[in-house]
Amino acid sequence: MKKSVILGALTFAGLAAGAAAAGTLDDVQSRGKLNCGVNAGLVGFATPDANGEWGGFDVAICRAVAAAVLDDANAVEFVPTTGKTRFTALASGEIDVLSRNTTWTFSRDVDLKFTFVGVNYYDGQGFLVPKELGVSSAKELDGATVCIQTGTTTELNLADFFRTNGISYEPVPIETEAEAQQQYLAGACDAYTTDASGLAATRAAFETPGDHVILPEIISKEPLGPLVRHGDDEWGDIVRWTLNAMIAAEELGVTSANLSEMAAGTDNPEIDRLLGTTGSLGEKLGLDATWAQRVLAVGGNYAEVFAKNIGEDTPIGLARGLNAQWTEGGLLYAPPFR
């Protein structure tokens, strides 16, 4: 490996370690605001409305963390990031957490020195094509031009897929979701590839979604989730267990509608520990006893957040699939609250 590459990796890791060493929880509480990195605009996952109010599946994590540590789900500064800028923003301390449909990989964990706190969406890479192209399989895309976001795992997955299947393609590099939509609709590429959830979100934003098809092939594993810097385990624990609280609440039957009733006490010890009715889990996180109640009061449990933002009754139209609870045949699973 070239010396310059090694030094670059060490410098990046040093940024991450230095920023984390300051104590992120103290910084956030002193600032009175959570700085959260999100997608620059992906319908259903992270996008501002006409009034500039951010909403979406990934945005819900940001608001839940802010509620847990600041008792205010609106105390969030949303920082739009691209595939290229997101990791520098986190490593430098510009943001406290990245919640931006980001795939958990070995290199990002070990080399870039980030801690993925869990998976909030199990995904895989797919392909979006115009129906008029007349293809029914990604294996029919030999010689196609393909729009692809730079700085993402999709670049390597795309190369692997075409090489494995003995076909060729011409990449059309783009940096943002908005640019991807523009280039694809303008005919600059025959196909657009990214996570299948992102393709569904992109298609939903089109004027005529029915004119575009998501091909059946899923060519990779893309476990997406929020991440923080290495070196600050206390902060990592808070973000991790905020996500786990949303997942566990669904399994345990705790919703935004019955939260007050459940918080008064139940005959289920785990629910009582989760909601702080008994035990001292909040204290162990450096928070108060009702931190998880605030998390769930924001947008509800995992199922509620999913259904509201990207579920089958939304324009995105995603089924739970792998993201169903483990008791329902999916992969969603929160460790015990005890």
Side-chain angles (χ1 to χ4, degrees):
M1 182 179 292
K2 293 182 179 179
K3 183 177 181 181
S4 60
V5 175
I6 296 173
L7 290 176
L10 290 173
T11 299
F12 199 91
L15 277 173
T24 309
L25 176 60
D26 291 340
D27 288 347
V28 171
Q29 291 180 329
S30 297
R31 189 191 308 133
K33 184 176 290 186
L34 174 75
N35 293 331
C36 195
V38 293
N39 197 297
L42 183 62
V43 176
F45 286 86
T47 189
D49 62 17
N51 298 317
E53 186 79 8
W54 283 86
F57 184 74
D58 287 332
V59 165
I61 297 291
C62 305
R63 295 198 184 280
V65 172
V69 303
L70 297 171
D71 194 12
D72 184 356
N74 294 314
V76 184
E77 180 73 29
F78 292 99
V79 180
T81 63
T82 68
K84 282 187 172 181
T85 65
R86 55 184 165 172
F87 298 134
T88 302
L90 182 58
S92 67
E94 179 185 355
I95 57 177
D96 306 304
V97 60
L98 178 63
S99 183
R100 185 202 180 278
N101 55 305
T102 298
T103 303
W104 187 349
T105 70
F106 180 99
S107 296
R108 291 170 178 178
D109 188 326
V110 177
D111 189 31
L112 298 187
K113 306 301 181 187
F114 295 134
T115 297
F116 285 78
V117 301
V119 177
N120 71 332
Y121 194 93
Y122 291 93
D123 210 344
Q125 184 174 334
F127 295 88
L128 178 70
V129 298
K131 185 178 291 184
E132 65 180 14
L133 193 63
V135 301
S136 58
S137 168
K139 295 178 182 179
E140 299 172 17
L141 292 174
D142 191 15
T145 53
V146 183
C147 281
I148 184 167
Q149 291 191 52
T150 55
T152 65
T153 58
T154 55
E155 289 181 288
L156 298 176
N157 295 336
L158 181 64
D160 288 347
F161 176 78
F162 275 81
R163 183 171 59 249
T164 300
N165 286 281
I167 53 179
S168 64
Y169 70 100
E170 180 183 340
V172 178
I174 46 93
E175 290 197 18
T176 66
E177 179 64 29
E179 184 183 357
Q181 291 186 25
Q182 180 183 22
Q183 294 293 329
Y184 172 81
L185 290 174
C189 51
D190 299 312
Y192 173 44
T193 184
T194 189
D195 299 333
S197 63
L199 296 178
T202 296
R203 184 174 62 174
F206 291 167
E207 186 174 335
T208 54
D211 291 345
H212 305 270
V213 178
I214 298 175
L215 298 178
E217 286 85 0
I218 296 296
I219 68 171
S220 68
K221 292 185 297 184
E222 305 292 333
L224 310 178
L227 55 154
V228 298
R229 293 176 291 275
H230 272 192
D232 190 344
D233 288 344
E234 179 184 33
W235 180 245
D237 286 343
I238 288 171
V239 182
R240 175 180 298 107
W241 287 96
T242 294
L243 173 59
N244 284 335
M246 298 165 67
I247 295 171
E250 178 188 1
E251 181 183 348
L252 295 169
V254 182
T255 69
S256 57
N258 66 20
L259 179 59
S260 296
E261 177 186 351
M262 293 285 198
T266 72
D267 58 2
N268 186 320
E270 185 160 17
I271 293 177
D272 293 345
R273 289 191 295 268
L274 169 67
L275 300 182
T277 308
T278 61
S280 57
L281 297 187
E283 180 182 345
K284 298 178 191 302
L285 282 174
L287 303 175
D288 62 16
T290 58
W291 67 276
Q293 291 187 40
R294 295 194 297 274
V295 166
L296 298 172
V298 175
N301 63 31
Y302 181 92
E304 292 176 278
V305 171
F306 190 105
K308 175 185 176 182
N309 293 289
I310 58 176
E312 292 182 291
D313 292 332
T314 71
I316 315 302
L318 293 173
R320 286 292 292 270
L322 294 177
N323 297 289
Q325 287 280 342
W326 66 287
T327 52
E328 301 294 330
L331 298 177
L332 212 63
Y333 189 113
F337 278 76
R338 64 166 60 253

